[in-house]
Amino acid sequence: MSSSYHQPDAPNSPLDDSDSDLDLDIQELDPITTSVAAGLSPSRKERKPQEERRTAHIPLRNLRMGGLRGLGKRNRGYGDLGRDRDGNNEDLHGLLSDEPGVDGANRYSVGSSNGGEDGAPLLAANSHRRRPSIDTFNKLGSHLRLPSFLSTTGSQAPPDDAEGQAEEHDPSSSRTVSVGASQTARFPPNAVSNAKYTPVSFLPVTLYNEFSFFFNMYFLLVALSQAIPPLRIGYLSTYIVPLVAVLAITLGKEAFDDIGRRRRDNEANSEGYTVLCFDEPGVGNAERYHAKKKLKLKQNAKSKRKTLVEPDRLSDIQEEDAAESRGTGLAHFPSASVREVIRKSRDLKVGDVLKLGKDQRVPADVVILKSYTNESAPIAEENEVPITSQSLLVEPISDPPVDSTAATVAEGHESTSKLGNTPSADAGGVGETFIRTDQLDGETDWKLRLGSPLTQSLEPSEFVRLRVVAGKPDKKVNEFVGTVDLLPVNRAGYDPYLPRPPRLSNEVNPEQPSSSTNSAPLTIDNTAWCNTVLASNATTLAVVVYTGSQTRSALSTSPSRSKTGLLEYEINSLTKILCALTATLSVVLVALEGFEKVEGKWYVKMMRFLVLFSTIVPISLRVNLDMGKTVYSWFIQRDTGMPGAVVRTSTIPEELGRIEYLLSDKTGTLTQNEMEMKKIHVGTVSYANEAMDEVASYIKQGFSVPVSTDASQSMLITPSSTFVASTTVTATRTRREIGSRVRDVVLALAICHNVTPTAEEENGQMVTSYQASSPDEIAIVKWTEAVSLRLTHRDRKGMTLHSVDTGRPVVRVRILEVFPFTSDGKRMGIIVQFLDGSETAGSVNIEAGEIWFYQKGADTVMGSIVAANDWLDEETANMAREGLRTLVVGRKRMSVQQYQEFAASYREAAVSINGRDAGMARVVSHYLERDLELLGVTGVEDKLQRDVKPSLELLRNAGIKIWMLTGDKVETARCVAVSAKLVARGQYIHTIAKLKRKDNAQDHLDFLRGKKDSALLIDGESLALLLTHFRTEFIGLAVLLPAVIACRCSPTQKADIAILIREFTKKRICCIGDGGNDVSMIQAADVGVGIVGKEGRQASLAADFSITQFCHLTKLLVWHGRNSYKRSAKLAQFVIHRGLIISVCQTMYSIAIKFEPDGLYKDWLMVGYATVYTMAPVFSLVLDKDVDENLANLYPELYKELTSGSSLSYRTFFVWVFVSIYQGGMIQGLSQILTETSGPKMTAVSFTVLVLNELCMVAFEITTWHPIMIICLLGTLLVYLGSMPFLGRYFDLAFIITWGFVWRVFAIGAISLIPPYAGKLIRRAVKPPSYRKVQAI
C-alpha cells in the first residue's frame, strides 16, 4: 500500500515540463479518498500530518476533476488509485471529461459564448508532442462520461473536435450555467428589439404589404401595360413615376419609423451595468510558475519517457508534489480575483455576475447569489487575501449547512447564531432584497427575494465554483425550479496556476469523510426577472440565467406587427368600386361602337380605354394621404399641451379618431403606485386631512416618557402603561378615552407590519426609508412617523419605536411570531412582547413583559374575528365608496401560559407532514383569532395619475368603453376602479373570482345578461375558464357592459383580450400601458399607446404613440385623432373627385370622336393637373378644422360620431361621384358645344375651367381658413396663369387672350359650380352637422 503510495524512483511522465499547466491538486481531485477513512494502514495514518502540509499537483492533460467520484470509487484511499490500472481502463474512464483544460485567463473571461475556445490554448502549442496522450483518450470512444455540472442532458458524449464552435442551446431543455465563466452552449444575445423589420426582410415585407392593397397592384399593372407598344398612351413616365413616388414615400416612412425604433432600442440596450469579472489570483503566480518549471526540468533530466498508462505514473505525481511542497509554503488564496467592469445591457451573457443597486432595472433574468446592505464591506476589499499559514480551525467563510430538512432551512433564514441567538443587524444579512414587479406583472406589492443560503455566505471570489441548473425558458413569471451546486475548491474550471483557496466550512474537513458537491434548491424566491426593479437599499450580486428573447418578459411579449389603419381598408374597397366603374366604361364604349366594327382587335381597344381611364383610380391618393399622416404626426409631436409625445408609427394617426374600446393598465398608468394614508376611524371619531394634527397631539401626549432617575434604565411604553402627560389631566373623560383609543391604534399600526427601516444618505443628510413587500404597509408606517411615532429599528427578533419629538426610544418589543399576509388569508398578524426597559441585555425571559397579539386585514375576514360591534361594516363601506383600501386593526392580550400553549401547538402543527398549512391555520384561529378588540379602520389611497378622473369621464362621454386590465389583486383593482371613477358612484360591481366550475360560470353569465348596466370585476383564473368554455357568450356580453375590470391578468391574457374584442366587434381598440407586462397588449391593439414609466420605457418603445401622462390621452384621441380622421376622409374624397372629373371629361371626348381611345389631355397636361395645378390647394385641406380644441373637449360627443365612419362612407362617396359626373359632363360638354369638338381651342377652355373648378371646390370645402390655404390657392392660380404661354403645344395661344375665351371659361365654370354649392347650402340649412350646432350654441 505504502509503496504504491510513494515511489521516489518512479519513472516520469511521457511529457516534459509543458505539463505544468495541467497540474491537478490531489485533494481537489478527490477530497473523499484523500481523507483518512476506517481501515487504512497505520503508516497511512502516521503520514497524515505530512499530507496536510502538502500541496499536491498531478500533471494530467485534459482531465477534469470529478471522475473519481463515480460510483464504486467513493471510499477508496488515494493509494488505491494505481491498483487496477493494469487490468482495465476504469480509472481512466472515470477521470475523463469532455471539457479540455482551460487556460486561466480564458476560463474566467466573462461572457464569451464560444465554448469551443475553451480548449484552444491546450491543443494549439506542441500538438505533435501531445498526440500520444490524446490518442490514448480517443480509444475510449463512447465511454467518455460528462460530469453532471457540464451536461445538459446527462449522458451526451462530448464532440470530437475540441476546437469546434459551441452549439446553439436547445431552448426546450434545461440549462447548466457556469457562474462567471464562458458557457458550453450558445444562448441568445441580451438585446431588446422592437423593430418590425430586419435589413433582409424590409423590402420583401414592405413591398408585399404595399401590393396587397388593390390600388397599388392596379397601378403596377397599368404601368407595366405601357411597356406593350399597342397599349402605350403618352409618356411612359406618366404612369411609372407616380407609382415609384408612392412606393418611395411609403417605404421611406416605414424605414424612418423602424430606424427610430432601432435607435431607441439601442439606447435601452446600451444601458451600463456593473459585471464582476473573475481572473486568476494575482498573488505570487509568476514566482510559483517559474519555480515549478525548474523543479520539473530537474526531475525530467533524471528520467526516461514512458507511456501515460504505465502503472507507476502515479508515483511521479507524488514525487513532484513532495518536491513542490518542500519548495513552497502553503497559502490561502481565493478561487479567483474579482474586478468590476461596466458592460452594456446587450453585451451581458448567460453566466455573467451582475452587481445591482437600488432602483436599478434588472436587464435579464437572474438568480440572486448574494445580497448585502450598502453599509457592508465592498467587494474590492475582498479581493486581496493575506497569505497566512493554513489552519483547520479558522474558517474564513462561514457557509450555513444546506440540508433539505425544514429545521435547517429555517435556521438559514433565521440568520442567528446558536450561541447568543443574536438577530442579524439588518435584512441584508440574510440575503434579503425587495424587488418591484409592476413592470412585469402589474402587481403593486414589492416582492421579497433571497439569496440561496449556499451562495449568500460565499465570498464573490468563490462564485466561480458555482453551477446553476435552471429549467427551460418559460413565460410563467411566478414559477421557477432550479438548483445551485457548489463545487469543491478548484474543481470549477480548474487552473494549474491558481493557489489553493481557503477551505469552506461546508467542505471536506481532512479528518472527516464528506460529499463532493453541495447542492441547494432554487425557487422563484431566489430570482429576479428582467424588467423588475430593485427596491432595497442593498447591493445584490446575481448571475444571468436567461437573456434576450428567452427572458420571461420577452416570452410574454408578442412580436411586433405592421399595423394598417381602417381608413386604408375603406379606401381600398372604394378603389375597387372605381376600378369596376373603369372596366364598365371601357366595355360600354367599345360596345357602343360595336365589337364587329372595331378596327384591329376589340380587346386591345378596350385595354387602351382602361389605361385612359386609369386616372379614375388616382395614384396621387396614396401620396396625399401619406404626406397627410406625416403632417398629423408633426402636429402631435409639436403640441405644447402634451410635451414629450412621440409618434412611433406614423402610418396610423387617423386610427386615433375611430377608437371604441380603451384597454388600460392600472399600475403606473391610472395610478402612480404611491400609497398615502388618508383616513383613520377609531370607532367614535374619524380623522382625515387636517384632523391628522389632532392625532399627532394625542400621540405626543400618550408617548411622553417621564425621564427616569436611574440613568441605566429608560422607561418604555407598553399598551397598559398608566402614566400620561400632565396636559391630559384637565381633559374630559371622553377626550381621554378617545386619546387612549388613538394611542392604541397608532401603536398597533406602528408594530403590526413587515416593514424594515433603512438609513440612506441624501444630499449629505441621513434619511430613513422603509422596505416592505406591500406599499400599503409603508404608507401606514410613514403615517405613524408623521404623527410622531417613528420605527427606527427592525430585525427578525425585535423592533424599536422612537418619539419624533424627543428622539428617544419609547417602545421596544421582542417579536415572538409573525403571520405574514397571504392572498387567501387576507390578513397579517404578529405576537410581540413589550419590554419596559428593566430587562438586562441579552435576557430572553418570556415572563419579562406583556404579550400582545396584533392583527390587521381586509374587512371581509376581520369582521368575524373582532368582537361584536355596530360600526365596522358601515365605516368600511363608506371608505370603499371613496376608493380607499381599508384595513381593520385589532389586538388581544395573551398571558404567558396562553402563549406557551399556543406556541407548543403551533410548533407541533408546523412539523406535521400532512396538512401542515391547514393545521397551522387551525391553531392560529383557535388560540388567537377570537374576540379581538377592534381598534380602528384605516383607509389608504393609491394615488391616481394627474387628471385621471376627468380624463376617464371625458372618454366615456366620447362613447369609448373602458376596460382596466391589471395583474394586481381583486381588492386593489376594485378600489382604483371606484376612486378613478371608472365605475360610477353607486353602480353595481358584479365580481367573478376563483371560478372553478362551468355551471357556476353559466349562472354568472345569466345574471349579467339581465343586468347590463353593471360593471364587471373578474380575475384571471375565472377569465381563463370563461374564455375556454364560453368564449363567444362571455365576450358578447362583456363588450356591452359600461366597464370591465380584469385583475390577476398575465401579459398574454391581456393581449388575448385585446385580440378577442377586436375580432368579435370589428371595432378599433386602443391599449395603453407603461410597463413591460403591457407590451403584448399594446402590440395586439389597433393603436398602442405607451406611457413613459418611472421604471422603464419598454411599453413606450413598443407603442405606436408615446405620451408622458395618462391625461394626454384625451387630447391625443379627442383632438388629434378626430382632426386626423376628418381631414384624411375629406382629402381622400377630394382626390377621388379630382381623378373622376377628368375621367368623365375623357369619356365625353371619346364619345364625341367616335369612340376612339385617344387622350384628351396628354403628357404634361395630365402630369401638371395631378401635381402643380391642383396638389397644393387639395393638400392644404390637412390644415382644416371644423371646431377648435376647447369645443372638442367640451363636447366629446363630437368624437362619438366618428366611430360610425360617416365622414367617409359609401353614401358620401357616391355623392362625390355624382358631383364629379355632373361637373365633368358640364365642363367637357359645354366646351365642345361652345368651341369645337376636338382641337386646341376646346382643350384650352376645358382644361382652364377644370383647374379653376378644382380651386373653387377646395375653397367651398374649407371650414376654418388658415393663411397657408390662401397662399396655396392664390399661388396655384398664379402658377397656372403664368404657365399658359408655355402650353402652346396643347392650347391655341391666340384664342386665350381674347374675350371669347374669358366669357366661355366663366360661363362654363358657373354652370359647373353653382348647383353643387347651392345643394350643399340647402342641406346644411335643413340638416346641419353637429359641429355647426355646437358652434351656434
Side-chain angles (χ1 to χ4, degrees):
M1 179 80 168
S2 59
S3 65
S4 68
Y5 179 75
H6 184 64
Q7 295 178 1
D9 299 321
N12 201 3
S13 154
L15 307 174
D16 65 0
D17 62 292
S18 64
D19 279 329
S20 64
D21 67 337
L22 296 165
D23 290 354
L24 277 176
D25 189 316
I26 292 171
Q27 282 194 318
E28 301 324 316
L29 183 66
D30 198 351
I32 300 166
T33 56
T34 54
S35 59
V36 178
L40 288 180
S41 65
S43 61
R44 177 85 176 84
K45 290 181 180 178
E46 288 164 14
R47 200 174 286 111
K48 190 68 202 171
Q50 182 187 348
E51 287 170 37
E52 287 172 10
R53 292 189 300 273
R54 176 186 303 147
T55 312
H57 287 80
I58 310 172
L60 294 171
R61 164 119 357 257
N62 286 353
L63 307 191
R64 279 299 172 109
M65 305 61 63
L68 286 172
R69 298 180 182 89
L71 293 172
K73 305 283 193 232
R74 293 269 174 203
N75 299 317
R76 297 175 56 188
Y78 191 0
D80 299 334
L81 282 175
R83 216 172 250 178
D84 59 353
R85 284 182 294 170
D86 294 333
N88 56 44
N89 276 336
E90 194 175 347
D91 285 2
L92 200 52
H93 291 315
L95 285 167
L96 280 172
S97 157
D98 77 315
E99 205 171 326
V102 185
D103 125 296
N106 205 27
R107 174 181 343 102
Y108 292 124
S109 65
V110 178
S112 168
S113 61
N114 183 0
E117 292 173 6
D118 217 17
L122 299 179
L123 298 176
N126 301 328
S127 58
H128 62 286
R129 303 176 71 177
R130 301 179 180 212
R131 187 60 55 200
S133 62
I134 293 170
D135 292 342
T136 310
F137 296 163
N138 287 341
K139 289 175 187 174
L140 293 169
S142 63
H143 296 294
L144 288 171
R145 187 175 63 213
L146 276 163
S148 61
F149 65 90
L150 290 174
S151 169
T152 52
T153 59
S155 61
Q156 188 179 350
D160 292 336
D161 181 11
E163 294 185 359
Q165 291 291 311
E167 289 185 11
E168 193 74 42
H169 183 266
D170 178 10
S172 64
S173 64
S174 60
R175 60 183 60 193
T176 301
V177 177
S178 306
V179 176
S182 54
Q183 307 303 311
T184 54
R186 277 205 311 272
F187 298 103
N190 192 48
V192 177
S193 176
N194 289 298
K196 293 180 182 176
Y197 313 103
T198 64
V200 176
S201 70
F202 176 72
L203 271 178
V205 173
T206 48
L207 288 176
Y208 172 79
N209 289 340
E210 285 305 299
F211 288 116
S212 61
F213 280 106
F214 174 78
F215 54 78
N216 281 348
M217 184 55 79
Y218 175 78
F219 276 108
L220 180 64
L221 294 173
V222 168
L224 292 175
S225 72
Q226 294 303 287
I228 304 168
L231 300 180
R232 187 173 296 164
I233 298 170
Y235 295 150
L236 186 63
S237 58
T238 308
Y239 300 93
I240 300 283
V241 171
L243 179 66
V244 171
V246 167
L247 292 177
I249 289 171
T250 311
L251 267 62
K253 276 167 60 62
E254 284 288 335
F256 181 77
D257 289 346
D258 217 48
I259 288 166
R261 283 187 205 98
R262 283 180 180 279
R263 193 176 291 124
R264 287 181 290 272
D265 287 343
N266 193 40
E267 286 173 19
N269 291 331
S270 298
E271 194 176 345
Y273 287 90
T274 303
V275 175
L276 303 190
C277 282
F278 300 92
D279 304 313
E280 55 181 283
V283 186
N285 274 331
E287 290 78 4
R288 284 200 63 205
Y289 180 63
H290 293 307
K292 284 166 68 179
K293 294 276 273 193
K294 288 173 188 172
L295 280 165
K296 294 286 287 183
L297 285 166
K298 286 178 186 174
Q299 290 167 0
N300 289 333
K302 298 177 191 173
S303 59
K304 300 177 198 171
R305 307 197 171 198
K306 303 286 181 187
T307 58
L308 175 67
V309 288
E310 282 198 13
D312 294 321
R313 168 77 179 94
L314 196 60
S315 306
D316 165 59
I317 296 169
Q318 292 153 2
E319 180 193 46
E320 175 201 329
D321 293 337
E324 179 76 33
S325 61
R326 286 192 296 273
T328 57
L330 283 170
H332 284 302
F333 283 116
S335 293
S337 66
V338 184
R339 60 189 168 87
E340 293 179 5
V341 295
I342 301 295
R343 196 166 283 167
K344 291 179 179 177
S345 173
R346 64 163 164 258
D347 296 330
L348 298 177
K349 294 183 172 62
V350 171
D352 283 1
V353 178
L354 300 179
K355 181 181 177 184
L356 299 164
K358 187 181 181 187
D359 292 331
Q360 253 195 304
R361 184 181 72 87
V362 180
D365 287 358
V366 299
V367 166
I368 294 170
L369 300 176
K370 184 183 179 83
S371 185
Y372 54 88
T373 54
N374 292 337
E375 291 85 52
S376 307
I379 293 174
E381 294 170 15
E382 297 166 355
N383 293 349
E384 297 301 322
V385 181
I387 299 174
T388 58
S389 62
Q390 185 177 16
S391 163
L392 296 172
L393 300 173
V394 179
E395 297 180 347
I397 304 168
S398 125
D399 218 350
V402 179
D403 195 277
S404 57
T405 64
T408 312
V409 174
E411 189 64 30
H413 282 275
E414 204 63 30
S415 183
T416 55
S417 72
K418 292 242 168 110
L419 297 170
N421 202 26
T422 357
S424 59
D426 51 67
V430 286
E432 289 184 353
T433 189
F434 284 103
I435 60 170
R436 288 197 295 267
T437 61
D438 51 319
Q439 294 284 305
L440 184 69
D441 57 17
E443 292 192 30
T444 51
D445 289 2
W446 292 5
K447 307 289 191 309
L448 177 64
R449 292 292 186 256
L450 305 161
S452 168
L454 181 64
T455 60
Q456 173 61 27
S457 47
L458 270 185
E459 295 298 321
S461 57
E462 300 300 318
F463 284 170
V464 290
R465 296 167 46 212
L466 293 171
R467 295 284 180 275
V468 175
V469 179
K472 64 181 183 186
D474 193 349
K475 64 168 69 170
K476 293 174 184 167
V477 293
N478 295 318
E479 291 178 22
F480 177 72
V481 177
T483 56
V484 59
D485 301 334
L486 177 66
L487 309 177
V489 179
N490 277 2
R491 174 171 168 184
Y494 176 73
D495 192 303
Y497 303 148
L498 267 73
R500 300 232 7 233
R503 187 170 293 289
L504 300 185
S505 64
N506 64 346
E507 269 189 48
V508 187
N509 184 319
E511 301 297 335
Q512 300 166 350
S514 170
S515 64
S516 58
T517 301
N518 274 332
S519 291
L522 294 174
T523 65
I524 187 68
D525 293 334
N526 308 117
T527 64
W529 300 141
C530 182
N531 291 334
T532 56
V533 177
L534 291 185
S536 302
N537 182 28
T539 299
T540 300
L541 305 179
V543 61
V544 176
V545 181
Y546 304 106
T547 50
S549 57
Q550 293 181 349
T551 59
R552 294 298 201 265
S553 61
L555 289 170
S556 301
T557 304
S558 52
S560 299
R561 64 186 184 93
S562 296
K563 296 182 181 179
T564 307
L566 185 60
L567 190 78
E568 301 274 348
Y569 291 113
E570 288 172 345
I571 289 171
N572 202 40
S573 59
L574 296 182
T575 309
K576 290 174 184 172
I577 296 171
L578 290 173
C579 189
L581 189 65
T582 307
T584 308
L585 257 177
S586 305
V587 173
V588 166
L589 289 175
V590 174
L592 285 174
E593 187 186 0
F595 291 105
E596 302 83 22
K597 298 175 186 174
V598 174
E599 293 177 21
K601 295 182 174 63
W602 62 268
Y603 53 83
V604 173
K605 193 168 191 177
M606 199 161 78
M607 288 298 292
R608 281 174 65 85
F609 272 125
L610 274 173
V611 173
L612 268 178
F613 296 137
S614 63
T615 50
I616 289 180
V617 186
I619 192 154
S620 56
L621 180 58
R622 282 306 302 275
V623 180
N624 280 281
L625 287 178
D626 283 350
M627 286 167 59
K629 293 175 200 286
T630 307
V631 172
Y632 310 146
S633 302
W634 188 84
F635 282 147
I636 291 169
Q637 295 186 145
R638 290 303 178 93
D639 192 331
T640 53
M642 35 194 279
V646 179
V647 179
R648 306 212 189 281
T649 308
S650 57
T651 53
I652 55 169
E654 301 94 351
E655 292 293 273
L656 293 168
R658 310 288 291 277
I659 302 302
E660 290 191 55
Y661 288 91
L662 174 67
L663 274 56
S664 173
D665 175 42
K666 175 189 75 73
T667 314
T669 304
L670 297 176
T671 66
Q672 297 179 28
N673 199 18
E674 287 179 15
M675 307 297 167
E676 187 180 8
M677 176 92 156
K678 282 286 189 185
K679 210 172 204 181
I680 185 161
H681 198 287
V682 293
T684 50
V685 147
S686 177
Y687 297 97
N689 305 324
E690 292 79 20
M692 293 295 185
D693 296 341
E694 197 173 331
V695 175
S697 68
Y698 282 132
I699 298 303
K700 284 171 189 169
Q701 293 163 11
F703 288 91
S704 298
V705 183
V707 179
S708 172
T709 51
D710 185 355
S712 65
Q713 291 187 359
S714 62
M715 289 294 287
L716 298 173
I717 302 274
T718 66
S720 54
S721 299
T722 51
F723 58 82
V724 288
S726 57
T727 50
T728 59
V729 175
T730 56
T732 62
R733 183 178 164 209
T734 312
R735 187 167 174 80
R736 278 202 303 275
E737 278 181 9
I738 291 171
S740 173
R741 276 186 162 183
V742 168
R743 190 192 74 162
D744 288 342
V745 74
V746 173
L747 180 61
L749 291 171
I751 286 173
C752 185
H753 54 69
N754 268 319
V755 178
T756 306
T758 57
E760 295 177 40
E761 192 171 330
E762 283 183 17
N763 304 325
Q765 292 183 324
M766 292 304 289
V767 179
T768 303
S769 65
Y770 300 104
Q771 297 175 9
S773 63
S774 168
D776 294 50
E777 289 199 322
I778 293 177
I780 290 171
V781 172
K782 280 184 175 174
W783 176 81
T784 63
E785 182 182 358
V787 294
S788 296
L789 197 58
R790 177 189 289 144
L791 174 70
T792 54
H793 175 79
R794 161 80 182 248
D795 55 38
R796 289 176 178 270
K797 293 298 173 191
M799 64 179 100
T800 307
L801 305 177
H802 278 64
S803 165
V804 173
D805 286 346
T806 61
R808 291 172 53 211
V810 289
V811 177
R812 189 173 283 133
V813 296
R814 181 181 291 121
I815 298 171
L816 301 179
E817 200 69 58
V818 177
F819 311 100
F821 183 92
T822 62
S823 54
D824 293 330
K826 296 181 181 175
R827 58 195 182 275
M828 80 81 55
I830 190 168
I831 301 176
V832 295
Q833 182 180 23
F834 283 86
L835 309 179
D836 56 13
S838 60
E839 298 83 1
T840 56
S843 67
V844 287
N845 184 5
I846 195 65
E847 299 183 14
E850 303 170 24
I851 298 174
W852 287 81
F853 167 62
Y854 287 100
Q855 192 169 44
K856 67 179 180 194
D859 55 296
T860 48
V861 291
M862 293 294 289
S864 58
I865 292 172
V866 296
N869 62 86
D870 57 358
W871 58 271
L872 179 61
D873 293 342
E874 185 184 348
E875 281 308 317
T876 51
N878 288 341
M879 287 189 186
R881 272 195 290 275
E882 294 174 37
L884 299 177
R885 298 158 76 152
T886 54
L887 282 174
V888 179
V889 190
R891 70 175 181 176
K892 182 179 191 176
R893 185 163 184 179
M894 301 177 75
S895 66
V896 173
Q897 184 189 352
Q898 281 175 319
Y899 172 70
Q900 286 172 338
E901 279 180 29
F902 159 76
S905 302
Y906 192 67
R907 207 171 295 118
E908 187 182 329
V911 294
S912 65
I913 301 299
N914 297 323
R916 180 183 299 174
D917 292 345
M920 289 161 74
R922 252 195 317 275
V923 170
V924 171
S925 176
H926 175 73
Y927 284 96
L928 304 178
E929 296 180 340
R930 287 190 176 182
D931 294 331
L932 262 66
E933 178 191 348
L934 174 59
L935 294 176
V937 182
T938 64
V940 174
E941 182 187 55
D942 192 349
K943 280 189 189 172
L944 296 173
Q945 294 277 9
R946 182 165 63 89
D947 292 339
V948 161
K949 291 183 194 177
S951 298
L952 288 175
E953 189 178 355
L954 191 145
L955 292 171
R956 205 180 292 110
N957 291 338
I960 297 172
K961 288 190 171 69
I962 302 165
W963 289 40
M964 185 172 84
L965 310 180
T966 177
D968 218 335
K969 298 189 285 289
V970 174
E971 294 78 13
T972 312
R974 180 195 293 271
C975 291
V976 171
V978 171
S979 63
K981 297 286 186 287
L982 183 66
V983 175
R985 195 179 180 89
Q987 185 176 7
Y988 175 70
I989 302 175
H990 184 69
T991 307
I992 306 177
K994 298 198 170 140
L995 200 58
K996 300 263 192 320
R997 293 169 49 197
K998 286 167 65 175
D999 51 348
N1000 292 351
Q1002 190 61 59
D1003 295 342
H1004 284 294
L1005 291 174
D1006 292 340
F1007 177 85
L1008 284 173
R1009 221 171 259 121
K1011 198 168 175 63
K1012 289 182 182 167
D1013 59 341
S1014 61
L1016 173 65
L1017 175 63
I1018 185 168
D1019 69 354
E1021 188 183 352
S1022 312
L1023 185 66
L1025 185 131
L1026 284 166
L1027 292 181
T1028 306
H1029 299 291
F1030 304 97
R1031 195 179 186 86
T1032 316
E1033 298 98 306
F1034 170 70
I1035 203 72
L1037 272 170
V1039 295
L1040 300 173
L1041 300 175
V1044 178
I1045 301 110
C1047 39
R1048 289 286 180 209
C1049 282
S1050 67
T1052 320
Q1053 270 183 320
K1054 290 183 177 185
D1056 289 345
I1057 292 169
I1059 293 166
L1060 200 59
I1061 298 173
R1062 205 177 78 214
E1063 289 175 350
F1064 183 83
T1065 62
K1066 301 289 186 276
K1067 307 287 188 190
R1068 299 285 101 179
I1069 293 174
C1070 173
C1071 291
I1072 181 168
D1074 75 315
N1077 60 317
D1078 303 316
V1079 170
S1080 289
M1081 172 177 80
I1082 282 169
Q1083 291 178 339
D1086 296 299
V1087 177
V1089 180
I1091 294 179
V1092 180
K1094 282 187 290 189
E1095 277 92 28
R1097 299 181 304 175
Q1098 296 83 19
S1100 152
L1101 290 172
D1104 305 307
F1105 300 90
S1106 168
I1107 54 178
T1108 53
Q1109 292 275 340
F1110 181 85
C1111 58
H1112 293 165
L1113 182 67
T1114 54
K1115 190 166 194 182
L1116 192 66
L1117 299 182
V1118 174
W1119 175 241
H1120 289 289
R1122 183 174 183 276
N1123 283 345
S1124 299
Y1125 172 61
K1126 284 193 77 81
R1127 288 164 176 171
S1128 280
K1130 189 180 279 188
L1131 183 63
Q1133 291 175 130
F1134 219 96
V1135 174
I1136 289 171
H1137 159 76
R1138 190 178 67 185
L1140 204 53
I1141 194 170
I1142 201 170
S1143 297
V1144 172
C1145 292
Q1146 176 66 52
T1147 308
M1148 297 288 289
Y1149 177 68
S1150 295
I1151 293 169
I1153 59 167
K1154 302 198 172 118
F1155 307 105
E1156 280 302 313
D1158 196 14
L1160 168 61
Y1161 310 123
K1162 291 182 183 169
D1163 308 334
W1164 167 250
L1165 291 185
M1166 280 295 289
V1167 175
Y1169 175 74
T1171 53
V1172 291
Y1173 296 151
T1174 58
M1175 190 161 183
V1178 170
F1179 187 68
S1180 70
L1181 287 171
V1182 299
L1183 301 170
D1184 192 21
K1185 56 184 180 186
D1186 51 6
V1187 293
D1188 63 16
E1189 190 178 339
N1190 291 333
L1191 278 175
N1193 287 327
L1194 192 59
Y1195 298 101
E1197 294 78 8
L1198 290 172
Y1199 183 89
K1200 204 172 185 175
E1201 288 182 344
L1202 304 186
T1203 52
S1204 62
S1206 56
S1207 298
L1208 179 64
S1209 61
Y1210 287 118
R1211 191 182 65 79
T1212 58
F1213 169 71
F1214 282 114
V1215 166
W1216 276 100
V1217 168
F1218 288 127
V1219 168
S1220 303
I1221 291 171
Y1222 167 76
Q1223 290 187 330
M1226 286 297 110
I1227 291 168
Q1228 187 59 27
L1230 290 174
S1231 297
Q1232 289 173 184
I1233 293 166
L1234 295 176
T1235 53
E1236 56 193 358
T1237 305
S1238 176
K1241 285 184 182 178
M1242 181 276 298
T1243 306
V1245 170
S1246 72
F1247 192 78
T1248 305
V1249 174
L1250 194 62
V1251 171
L1252 294 176
N1253 182 78
E1254 281 305 293
L1255 298 181
C1256 292
M1257 285 297 286
V1258 169
F1260 293 163
E1261 281 302 309
I1262 290 170
T1263 314
T1264 309
W1265 284 89
H1266 190 282
I1268 293 177
M1269 295 174 169
I1270 298 167
I1271 292 165
C1272 286
L1273 282 168
L1274 294 177
T1276 303
L1277 181 62
L1278 292 173
V1279 166
Y1280 176 67
L1281 294 175
S1283 68
M1284 284 176 80
F1286 303 100
L1287 301 176
R1289 219 181 120 191
Y1290 314 102
F1291 294 174
D1292 183 343
L1293 295 180
F1295 175 64
I1296 283 173
I1297 52 172
T1298 63
W1299 282 108
F1301 171 78
V1302 175
W1303 75 259
R1304 284 179 176 85
V1305 167
F1306 278 104
I1308 297 168
I1311 294 166
S1312 157
L1313 285 164
I1314 290 170
Y1317 185 62
K1320 184 178 178 180
L1321 291 175
I1322 293 164
R1323 187 174 177 281
R1324 189 182 288 175
V1326 173
K1327 191 184 175 185
S1330 300
Y1331 73 87
R1332 300 286 295 183
K1333 294 176 189 172
V1334 167
Q1335 285 170 336
I1337 290 171

